[in-house]
Amino acid sequence: MNYKALAERLLPGQYPALESYETRYPLRNLPEKAEVTRLAPSPTGFIHLGNLFAAIANERIAHRSGGILYLRIEDTDLKRKVDGAVEAVIKALEYFDIRFDEGAEIGGDETYGPWYQRQRAEIYRAFVKHLIEEGRAYPCFCTEEELSRLREEQTARKEVTGYYGKYAKCRGLSEEEIYQNLDAGKPFVIRLKSMGDPEVKHTFHDEIKGDITVHENDQDVVILKSDGIPTYHFAHAVDDHFMRTTLVIRGEEWLASLPIHIELFGALGFPLPRYGHNCSLMKQEGETRRKLSKRKDPELSLEFYRKEGYHPRAVKVYILTLLNSNFEEWYLKNPEAPLEEFKFTAAKMSKSGTLFDLDKLSDISKNELAKLSAGQMRDFLKTWAEEFGSEAQKAYFSDEEKLLGALTLCMGIGGKKRRKDFTTASQAMELLRYFFERPAEFEPYRVEETVKHALLVGFLKTYSPADDAQTWFAKVKEVAAENGFAAEMKDYKANPDAYRGSVADVAEVLRIATTGKANTPDLWTIQHILGEAEVRARIAAQL
Ligand code: GLU
């Protein structure tokens, strides 16, 4: 067969010499051992936790080694493209402080761009043409119907599905048949002519999983679709080579495609980058573990963390804990250190399923938020509220003094021990509500209506905003005693039947009347922050 003539017929025209690409995309001028890593999402508009795990690993490895992290958009499958998806990826990752050095919508060194695969059609076709000339690729005229029939037959016979071996019908077409099909104007795709044998197995060193066994590929995969656009498999091999990628950390769902990628790199004459396949994220459900699912688990979407207002450092700390087995110990010793100082390595990444647990993340979040100053907390909440808060919540920030007072109290700043009341921005804003809005709902009072009434009236009579905490409490005790409650806890404990309750029950009534809640930080301070008029108005409204 005259492959050269066939290649010209299939992809007519002059393409640059292949060597010219090696010069156009030279080896990067980086220090020895610097890693070039990438994130290569499809612009589907859905960016998930798995992407963030891979992004953090790739970012850490690139930047710790003095290398480059770039963003490539794998948009060969137009059906999946969503407007604004690239900006959404960048924004979602920026929240976690993942910054790309170059890439789509980022810019940077233009040498290796463009970073949208659709803008790189020429280079892919040049290499496809070369493979046809060498007899390593061929046109396939099979229709969708023929292919789905083949799949059905294979499934019925419990055979591996796909286009391979004896099933690769068009692989055996004669020169005459090919030209007849072309003359008849039949649409075609270009397939790789695989030389592999799945019975043959090799040891492959995965940077995360260690040595694994990989069988050879025998699938004649499509490399160029009928519209002249390459498939992901083909495009990513060309791009990883010419963008000079040294290390690919990606999800283990790609492990199944590794044999194809190994063969493609070989056929193209490119050295393989190193690969590390990251474990899937699992969720514990009762006794069983299952993969996190887009449909069932909102926490799979990165949008969830921004919307709920998880502090990015908390999410990062948790992910680093899951990604590198020695991170937790390091962090215990260095709780204040910038996370960049941790020596992240692919080799320490977990080899089997990673359990992702929102409760664990919430614990870490509480600890991280408890490290912030009141000012830092205000800034964090403000950024969240500007995007996700209600109008009422946005207004909290116009009374700076009140907000800082409330935060200082709720975070236990200046106290013996920091309080850990806050988990996320949305939850913190909800907790802060009673400082800024009159409560609309009240937890149940645990005393009779007449008793409650008497206690509130008694309190209002003696209440003075000038009282310090001690004087205030002494007055509450008096109101307690006047209404049959023990002023001292020890008296109540010694003889509970002699009283209606204790001063603690009285304080609870005042607390609910002031805030709507039975549990809050120090009530004297809350009333102090609210001011006399507001305290009187709230209590009066409960009479
Ligand atoms: N475009 C692929 C994805 O959507 C990237 C796979 C890879 O990293 O090689 O995840």
Side-chain angles (χ1 to χ4, degrees):
M1 175 129 34
N2 184 343
Y3 291 125
K4 221 169 161 61
L6 178 61
E8 190 53 35
R9 174 72 189 264
L10 295 170
L11 290 167
Q14 192 69 24
Y15 284 90
L18 297 189
E19 306 76 57
S20 71
Y21 291 110
E22 294 289 340
T23 332
R24 194 158 121 197
Y25 306 108
L27 287 177
R28 289 178 186 260
N29 187 12
L30 290 170
E32 210 192 328
K33 299 220 167 110
E35 302 279 12
V36 178
T37 66
R38 46 59 163 195
L39 218 69
S42 300
T44 57
F46 183 68
I47 169 129
H48 58 81
L49 204 56
N51 296 132
L52 181 61
F53 271 69
I56 290 178
N58 280 311
E59 189 275 339
R60 283 294 72 225
I61 290 169
H63 290 154
R64 268 190 28 82
S65 66
I68 295 277
L69 169 70
Y70 71 85
L71 175 66
R72 180 171 75 226
I73 300 301
E74 306 211 315
D75 56 356
T76 53
D77 196 354
L78 250 199
K79 271 176 277 168
R80 300 166 72 199
K81 187 167 185 290
V82 172
D83 283 341
V86 178
E87 290 73 11
V89 168
I90 295 171
K91 193 168 168 193
L93 293 172
E94 240 173 27
Y95 185 67
F96 301 101
D97 218 23
I98 305 287
R99 288 175 208 278
F100 296 97
D101 303 292
E102 59 182 51
E105 306 305 322
I106 305 278
D109 188 346
E110 294 289 336
T111 313
Y112 300 94
W115 295 279
Y116 285 92
Q117 290 185 322
R118 289 217 153 229
Q119 294 171 17
R120 302 169 63 81
E122 178 211 84
I123 178 168
Y124 305 131
R125 284 184 207 145
F127 278 89
V128 171
K129 188 166 181 180
H130 170 72
L131 289 179
I132 302 168
E133 285 170 353
E134 285 200 315
R136 282 300 315 266
Y138 64 90
C140 167
F141 301 93
C142 288
T143 61
E144 282 297 331
E145 293 74 48
E146 284 172 291
L147 293 175
S148 53
R149 216 177 310 128
L150 173 63
R151 219 176 0 254
E152 279 164 25
E153 281 169 28
Q154 290 167 330
T155 313
R157 274 188 249 136
K158 296 202 168 40
E159 287 177 328
V160 176
T161 56
Y163 207 79
Y164 61 95
K166 62 178 185 214
Y167 298 117
K169 200 176 103 197
C170 291
R171 183 172 170 149
L173 292 182
S174 68
E175 203 160 3
E176 206 187 335
E177 287 168 317
I178 292 175
Y179 282 100
Q180 266 172 12
N181 282 333
L182 290 173
D183 290 340
K186 282 198 185 169
F188 62 88
V189 299
I190 306 292
R191 288 184 184 274
L192 174 75
K193 191 184 283 175
S194 172
M195 302 297 190
D197 175 355
E199 298 298 320
V200 179
K201 298 187 165 72
H202 299 280
T203 300
F204 179 87
H205 184 75
D206 186 280
E207 297 291 319
I208 297 172
K209 296 191 179 294
D211 285 345
I212 54 174
T213 303
V214 177
H215 65 79
E216 285 185 0
N217 170 58
D218 69 339
Q219 296 274 349
D220 284 1
V221 289
V222 176
I223 55 177
L224 200 69
K225 295 184 274 190
S226 55
D227 57 2
I229 300 292
T231 53
Y232 149 74
H233 293 306
F234 189 75
H236 106 289
V238 171
D239 291 344
D240 274 341
H241 178 65
F242 286 112
M243 294 179 181
R244 303 300 179 183
T245 315
T246 61
L247 175 66
V248 174
I249 302 283
R250 60 182 180 187
E252 71 183 352
E253 66 273 21
W254 295 102
L255 209 48
S257 309
L258 189 61
I260 299 172
H261 299 166
I262 294 174
E263 183 167 22
L264 275 173
F265 273 85
L268 288 162
F270 302 154
L272 260 191
R274 279 147 42 244
Y275 287 89
H277 290 89
N278 194 18
C279 301
S280 300
L281 300 175
M282 314 293 281
K283 182 170 178 150
Q284 187 82 36
E285 230 177 27
E287 293 293 291
T288 54
R289 286 180 176 195
R290 61 165 177 82
K291 269 194 199 166
L292 278 178
S293 112
K294 187 171 169 179
R295 205 167 40 83
K296 291 193 211 152
D297 308 308
E299 70 267 33
L300 188 60
S301 160
L302 284 197
E303 190 58 14
F304 171 83
Y305 301 90
R306 245 164 32 87
K307 252 195 196 144
E308 290 292 314
Y310 281 94
H311 195 280
R313 183 173 162 109
V315 179
K316 246 179 132 166
V317 164
Y318 184 40
I319 292 182
L320 285 168
T321 309
L322 293 175
L323 277 179
N324 255 200
S325 50
N326 52 336
F327 175 80
E328 202 165 358
E329 199 187 326
W330 175 85
Y331 196 51
L332 272 173
K333 286 192 196 127
N334 304 280
E336 306 296 331
L339 302 179
E340 294 72 50
E341 284 175 14
F342 172 68
K343 293 192 175 59
F344 188 93
T345 53
K348 286 254 159 44
M349 285 169 75
S350 146
K351 293 185 187 3
S352 53
T354 304
L355 201 61
F356 189 84
D357 178 1
L358 267 185
D359 292 337
K360 188 87 205 290
L361 173 61
S362 294
D363 287 344
I364 292 178
S365 299
K366 285 182 185 167
N367 286 333
E368 290 303 321
L369 292 181
K371 291 180 190 167
L372 300 185
S373 69
Q376 286 169 325
M377 188 70 192
R378 174 208 47 210
D379 294 346
F380 169 58
L381 294 178
K382 193 165 184 219
T383 310
W384 178 86
E386 273 161 9
E387 196 167 354
F388 301 106
S390 64
E391 286 313 308
Q393 287 176 326
K394 285 183 189 136
Y396 298 179
F397 298 90
S398 50
D399 193 341
E400 176 97 353
E401 197 189 319
K402 187 173 182 180
L403 181 63
L404 289 177
L407 289 174
T408 305
L409 172 67
C410 292
M411 296 169 81
I413 295 172
K416 273 198 226 87
K417 225 172 132 210
R418 290 289 292 257
R419 298 178 64 98
K420 293 184 180 169
D421 294 9
F422 296 154
T423 314
T424 63
S426 58
Q427 172 262 359
M429 290 300 284
E430 196 49 46
L431 276 191
L432 291 169
R433 181 202 286 260
Y434 62 76
F435 287 98
F436 299 92
E437 298 173 52
R438 293 220 175 134
E441 284 166 25
F442 294 82
E443 286 179 29
Y445 291 99
R446 291 186 298 154
V447 295
E448 284 163 34
E449 187 59 29
T450 49
V451 177
K452 174 191 109 186
H453 190 89
L455 290 173
L456 295 181
V457 169
F459 175 79
L460 282 180
K461 243 191 254 159
T462 62
Y463 169 59
S464 161
D467 291 342
D468 63 15
Q470 265 175 333
T471 318
W472 178 90
F473 194 46
K475 286 183 175 176
V476 173
K477 284 181 179 176
E478 269 169 44
V479 176
E482 281 161 14
N483 289 282
F485 290 82
E488 303 298 336
M489 273 319 276
K490 64 173 186 326
D491 296 341
Y492 178 66
K493 281 197 183 132
N495 199 0
D497 294 338
Y499 303 99
R500 277 202 170 114
S502 76
V503 65
D505 301 307
V506 176
E508 185 182 289
V509 170
L510 295 173
R511 201 181 292 280
I512 296 175
T514 312
T515 66
K517 292 180 187 302
N519 283 304
T520 69
D522 180 59
L523 183 58
W524 175 81
T525 314
I526 293 172
Q527 293 193 340
H528 192 72
I529 293 170
L530 290 174
E532 179 177 11
E534 184 64 18
V535 171
R536 286 195 182 279
R538 287 189 185 191
I539 292 183
Q542 291 298 295
L543 289 175

